[in-house]
Amino acid sequence: AGDGGDAGRKVDFILAVGDDRSDEETFIAIEECIADPNSAVMRSTACPLPGTVQAAGHDHLCVYVSTVGQKPSKADYYLDDPEDVVQLLGVLTNSGANAAHA
């Protein structure tokens, strides 16, 4: 709950990484939000979830859902181990820093 200052703003990037069964609930919740054009997310034509049809109203969202380790999952991607997660976060951090200085 907030003061309403963020009313009307929408999320444009989601990164969810999990390594166990309880994280599947998060992956499912993200999938359900994307399916709802009235949710707080906007879907991107640039990076839609693999194998899904773009939902109306979600035209700016990049979603990356990954499990750690290859196993059955609702996640679209997987990272081999926690070291891969750390490496990914480092790459994202450096990309953001580089973009800020450009």
Side-chain angles (χ1 to χ4, degrees), residues 16-33 65 67 72-75:
V17 179
D19 66 353
D20 64 30
R21 179 76 180 119
S22 63
D23 297 311
E24 293 298 314
E25 293 175 18
T26 300
F27 303 157
I28 292 167
I30 290 169
E31 187 176 85
E32 289 172 354
C33 281
V65 180
T67 188
S73 175
K74 284 287 193 181

Side-chain angles (χ1 to χ4, degrees), residues 44-85:
S44 174
T45 56
C47 50
L49 288 170
T52 59
V53 176
Q54 181 172 336
H58 295 304
D59 53 358
H60 299 299
L61 177 67
C62 292
V63 177
Y64 300 94
V65 180
S66 177
T67 188
V68 180
Q70 263 186 316
K71 58 187 161 270
S73 175
K74 284 287 193 181
D76 297 297
Y77 305 98
Y78 77 91
L79 297 165
D80 284 324
D81 50 45
E83 290 78 23
D84 281 353
V85 177

